[in-house]
Amino acid sequence: MRSEKSISAKCQEWLVYRSLLQTMAAPKSLKVSEWADKERKLPPEAAEPGSWYTERAEYQRGIMDAFSDPLIERVVGMLPAQSGKTECLLNIIGYHIAHDPCTMLFVTITTELAKAVSKDRLDGLINYTPCLKGKVKDARERDSGNTILHKQFLDGQITLGGSNSPASLTSRPIRLVLCDEVDKYKASAGEFGDPVDLAFKRSTTFWNKKLALFSTPGIKGLSRIEKAYEESDMRKYYVPCPHCGEFQTLKKAQLRWPDQKPQEAVYHCEACDGVITDRDKIRMVRLGQWRAHQDVPGVAGFWLNELYSPWVSFGDFAQKFVDAKRRGVESLKQFVNESLAETWEESGSSPKDDILYGRREDYGPAIPLNAGVLVCGVDVQDNRIECEVVAVGKGEETWGIEEKILNGDPARLDVWNELEIFLQTEYIHAAGHRMRIKATCIDTGGHHTQQTYNFVRPRERERIYGIKGANRPGEPIWPKRASRKNTGGINLYIIGTDGAKDYIYNRLRITEPGPGYMHFPLQYDEEYFRQLTAEKVVYEKGVRRWINKHGVRNEALDRRVYVVAAIERLKQIPGFIKELDRLVDKYIAMGVKVQDNTEIKQIEAQPEQVTPDQIGQRDIVPQKKWNNPAGRQKGWTTGWRR
């Protein structure tokens, strides 16, 4: 008979053995949506704080659960802005920290945005979800492994990076890669190639890897997310009609509203034409189901538009559409991308020059009442300097004021002296006061670069900027900072000419005066409009380029590009837009009587006149150091009004 001691020892051995088996066993099957419903807590600053509730937007369940399906390797989401996409991604991260630890990489547009996501969203996920709070090391501990862009936890870690930072995309092996807003990534991460490919290569050695691309779509033909979705099983979310039970996808064409009352919009079933309200939509979405449209094993693609969102009513959606059409092409493009979750298809052709010529206006020699500031674009040619002065009002509505051709060899001082005089021209506003040009952009990339540098250098404080067009697509119209790597020692601004041309052509398609509309005076001839529309967009091997049409001169378009750059520069001045709107309102309200108002005269105080003799003394000679009298400080906020 065995002793009690022997039995006790055997029991202990069995308990240890069972514990070891439990440790080695695969984790209990649990889907991402089940984990989120059970564990996830939203922080107080969230739109709907408290416990997570997947049924609130049932379509999110299929997207999240694709990450816990062993048969799916790649997940693609072409989704609208108001769909809860970011919270789904946070749930996926939380699920893997708590239930299936691994190495993770979250990639967004820039490193700066990655830091914001970490501080504003990821920290909230960790700090307010009880089961996660103790798993990620405390950032306050020494050598904790918890930084803004890198967080460690038991058996895993998560790194956040920007598509513009190759180092963050190539640093370590990764099992789960989440790429967000991929249509806003640059085409290449420096010399290293496509940032999505760089990130995905980190997972090559994992048999159970998960790769994800999420984004609102962008331009057709250039959209990463559209291409990825078309290479997936192309799932769409079908919902049943409350009247006839027919399953269907929600489409903008089925939305209807009374004339001039988009907030009263209702949806009509495409099968029975039954009226569907927002209240019906809530139940329809909860009963909906994802259906694949092609057979692509291992790649799950999800698409829906903002009509499904519980946070956007049918009336709100209709109002967005009406407002976007009224505001012009750029707003409509944003609506198509962010609300319809569809790519924007550009025609690839320029506006018709004869149509633009036919809409010229006679707004007289005075600056129109609705304008508040003047800007100028200057193009340096081999035998002349060309200028265009443009007035800017609310919503960047513009009025062409004057073309000026200064004939002469820019290698000589004469033509630069004429330019100096021209940039000091005083214009009469319809409200009665005098105006001068507040910002000028001069192209330095021609055949007279050094002479342009010499002209710009002593005049930079007068908001005369030396610029050069970027030869890379996707560059911002106005850069964050200037470059001083040039022989002239000036602040050289590398501007995004592609973006500026998009800006111009989109506004040329606006047909009603108002925000974004471009007005032209009667004195502009047919040649001006031929040059303004001299280029078009083409796509070659997936690359979008601007090309000239049949060798047409394009100086008018170039000048307008520099005008747009000047506008973008002024917009960077804190408070500029608000102050511009205030001035325009005042001018309109007071009309011609404003010329007797001393307050406006003080706002538009006139600098001293410059004579040709004085100009000759300033050419090529660096400007003396500017001494600001004590007690008379002027910052950029109000300095633009001088």
Side-chain angles (χ1 to χ4, degrees):
M1 188 174 180
R2 296 178 182 177
S3 65
E4 293 183 5
K5 185 175 181 181
S6 175
I7 294 172
S8 175
K10 291 290 184 182
C11 288
Q12 289 179 0
E13 288 178 9
W14 167 248
L15 290 173
V16 171
Y17 180 67
R18 188 177 69 175
S19 176
L20 181 61
L21 287 175
Q22 289 175 342
T23 303
M24 296 173 61
K28 181 182 176 183
S29 177
L30 183 71
K31 296 179 179 179
V32 175
S33 64
E34 293 172 343
W35 176 86
D37 286 333
K38 181 181 177 182
E39 304 286 357
R40 177 75 194 280
K41 303 294 181 185
L42 297 168
E45 63 268 18
E48 297 178 353
S51 298
W52 174 268
Y53 188 45
T54 302
E55 281 192 2
R56 181 77 171 95
E58 182 63 29
Y59 54 78
Q60 295 176 338
R61 190 180 304 278
I63 299 171
M64 292 189 292
D65 290 349
F67 287 85
S68 43
D69 185 339
L71 299 179
I72 295 176
E73 180 180 285
R74 185 171 300 203
V75 182
V76 178
M78 189 161 74
L79 305 171
Q82 298 293 326
S83 61
K85 170 178 63 70
T86 304
E87 294 300 336
C88 286
L89 292 173
L90 291 172
N91 286 342
I92 293 159
I93 293 170
Y95 167 85
H96 282 89
I97 294 175
H99 184 71
D100 186 13
C102 65
T103 51
M104 293 182 276
L105 173 64
F106 182 93
V107 185
T108 187
I109 307 167
T110 63
T111 304
E112 291 72 19
L113 184 57
K115 291 178 181 179
V117 170
S118 178
K119 291 186 285 188
D120 299 341
R121 309 301 290 271
L122 186 56
D123 285 352
L125 166 73
I126 295 168
N127 294 333
Y128 288 94
T129 301
C131 70
L132 300 180
K133 197 168 184 181
K135 290 185 177 289
V136 179
K137 293 183 178 182
D138 194 330
R140 291 171 294 184
E141 295 179 5
R142 193 173 187 180
D143 300 325
S144 68
N146 183 346
T147 65
I148 294 177
L149 295 178
H150 185 69
K151 300 182 185 297
Q152 294 181 345
F153 48 90
L154 183 63
D155 297 328
Q157 57 192 9
I158 179 169
T159 302
L160 296 93
S163 66
N164 61 338
S165 172
S168 65
L169 307 179
T170 60
S171 55
R172 53 178 64 87
I174 302 293
R175 187 185 127 198
L176 171 62
V177 181
L178 302 172
C179 294
D180 191 23
E181 292 301 339
V182 296
D183 270 19
K184 296 178 182 175
Y185 293 2
K186 289 187 177 181
S188 177
E191 303 173 354
F192 297 87
D194 187 280
V196 173
D197 291 342
L198 285 176
F200 281 3
K201 284 179 182 177
R202 300 303 94 209
S203 64
T204 302
T205 57
F206 291 91
W207 65 269
N208 57 346
K209 60 189 173 187
K210 294 284 185 184
L211 310 175
L213 295 91
F214 284 82
S215 188
T216 53
I219 302 294
K220 190 170 186 64
L222 298 178
S223 172
R224 281 189 178 92
I225 198 66
E226 183 182 53
K227 185 175 185 294
Y229 177 71
E230 290 172 348
E231 294 172 350
S232 73
D233 60 11
M234 295 184 68
R235 304 182 191 190
K236 295 183 179 180
Y237 199 70
Y238 283 75
V239 294
C241 171
H243 306 293
C244 68
E246 182 73 17
F247 275 79
Q248 59 201 277
T249 58
L250 298 182
K251 305 175 181 68
K252 180 179 71 68
Q254 298 302 118
L255 202 63
R256 298 168 196 168
W257 58 89
D259 188 36
Q260 306 298 322
K261 295 181 180 179
Q263 280 294 339
E264 298 180 15
V266 293
Y267 195 88
H268 284 247
C269 171
E270 60 183 347
C272 69
D273 202 40
V275 175
I276 299 171
T277 66
D278 289 307
R279 196 167 186 175
D280 296 323
K281 181 178 79 168
I282 295 172
R283 185 171 181 273
M284 290 167 66
V285 171
R286 287 183 180 175
L287 296 175
Q289 53 189 239
W290 288 102
R291 295 181 181 178
H293 282 241
Q294 60 185 23
D295 184 17
V296 181
V299 186
F302 300 89
W303 173 88
L304 50 74
N305 57 43
E306 205 175 55
L307 283 169
Y308 294 91
S309 175
W311 302 285
V312 180
S313 69
F314 289 142
D316 290 341
F317 186 93
Q319 187 68 58
K320 281 186 181 182
F321 174 63
V322 170
D323 291 344
K325 285 188 67 178
R326 177 175 52 82
R327 290 170 183 160
V329 176
E330 285 198 2
S331 292
L332 189 58
K333 175 182 175 182
Q334 183 179 4
F335 175 83
V336 169
N337 290 160
E338 297 186 359
S339 294
L340 292 180
E342 297 174 358
T343 52
W344 174 262
E345 186 169 5
E346 294 183 337
S347 63
S349 61
S350 60
K352 300 295 184 182
D353 58 292
D354 55 342
I355 294 176
L356 297 175
Y357 178 76
R359 78 180 201 193
R360 294 175 305 158
E361 308 167 47
D362 183 11
Y363 40 80
I367 308 301
L369 271 177
N370 291 41
V373 69
L374 295 175
V375 294
C376 183
V378 179
D379 186 27
V380 181
Q381 297 290 325
D382 286 340
N383 59 354
R384 66 193 182 280
I385 295 177
E386 297 193 3
C387 313
E388 184 180 13
V389 179
V390 174
V392 186
K394 280 186 174 183
E396 295 173 49
E397 185 175 9
T398 60
W399 292 262
I401 300 301
E402 181 181 8
E403 277 191 287
K404 186 70 173 179
I405 310 299
L406 305 174
N407 292 307
D409 184 355
R412 299 170 60 87
L413 295 180
D414 307 20
V415 69
W416 294 103
N417 292 345
E418 289 184 53
L419 178 61
E420 173 81 5
I421 295 172
F422 176 72
L423 294 180
Q424 295 294 334
T425 300
E426 291 185 344
Y427 295 84
I428 304 299
H429 194 278
H433 64 278
R434 296 173 180 270
M435 295 179 68
R436 283 189 177 174
I437 297 165
K438 299 302 179 185
T440 300
C441 285
I442 304 180
D443 178 35
T444 66
H447 296 287
H448 299 281
T449 300
Q450 192 59 52
Q451 286 83 357
T452 309
Y453 288 162
N454 293 342
F455 181 82
V456 169
R457 186 171 56 248
R459 299 168 177 85
E460 288 183 313
R461 288 192 177 275
E462 300 170 23
R463 286 181 293 277
I464 295 176
Y465 303 106
I467 62 171
K468 184 178 180 180
N471 56 5
R472 301 176 300 274
E475 291 293 318
I477 295 177
W478 191 267
K480 289 184 178 179
R481 58 184 65 87
S483 168
R484 293 192 66 87
K485 295 180 180 179
N486 56 81
T487 58
I490 69 167
N491 292 304
L492 183 62
Y493 296 89
I494 309 300
I495 66 169
T497 54
D498 283 12
K501 290 173 184 177
D502 287 337
Y503 174 109
I504 293 165
Y505 277 31
N506 286 336
R507 280 160 172 74
L508 287 175
R509 294 187 179 98
I510 300 175
T511 57
E512 296 294 330
Y517 186 79
M518 297 175 70
H519 301 261
F520 301 102
L522 284 177
Q523 61 264 33
Y524 282 16
D525 59 15
E526 292 175 295
E527 178 62 20
Y528 173 88
F529 295 99
R530 279 194 290 269
Q531 292 185 18
L532 186 64
T533 59
E535 297 187 16
K536 66 178 181 178
V537 173
V538 296
Y539 293 91
E540 296 177 352
K541 298 181 180 180
V543 178
R544 181 178 186 268
R545 295 196 307 116
W546 284 86
I547 65 169
N548 192 287
K549 299 186 303 184
H550 311 300
V552 180
R553 289 173 53 192
N554 64 347
E555 288 93 324
L557 177 59
D558 286 343
R559 294 196 307 261
R560 275 289 171 144
V561 166
Y562 311 148
V563 163
V564 169
I567 295 172
E568 291 297 312
R569 176 63 188 99
L570 288 176
K571 284 164 61 178
Q572 290 189 356
I573 300 173
F576 169 76
I577 298 295
K578 184 177 179 181
E579 184 65 14
L580 175 61
D581 291 351
R582 187 189 71 80
L583 283 174
V584 171
D585 287 340
K586 182 172 288 190
Y587 297 160
I588 294 172
M590 303 184 72
V592 294
K593 295 181 180 178
V594 78
Q595 61 186 340
D596 296 323
N597 187 294
T598 55
E599 181 183 359
I600 298 298
K601 286 185 177 180
Q602 291 171 358
I603 290 175
E604 295 292 338
Q606 298 302 309
E608 62 181 356
Q609 293 290 331
V610 179
T611 66
D613 291 339
Q614 291 172 320
I615 295 168
Q617 295 171 6
R618 293 179 59 189
D619 284 322
I620 313 303
V621 181
Q623 190 179 35
K624 294 181 180 179
K625 186 175 180 180
W626 182 69
N627 295 316
N628 188 24
R632 294 190 61 191
Q633 297 182 355
K634 275 193 179 231
W636 278 101
T637 303
T638 56
W640 67 274
R641 295 182 299 172
R642 289 180 295 181

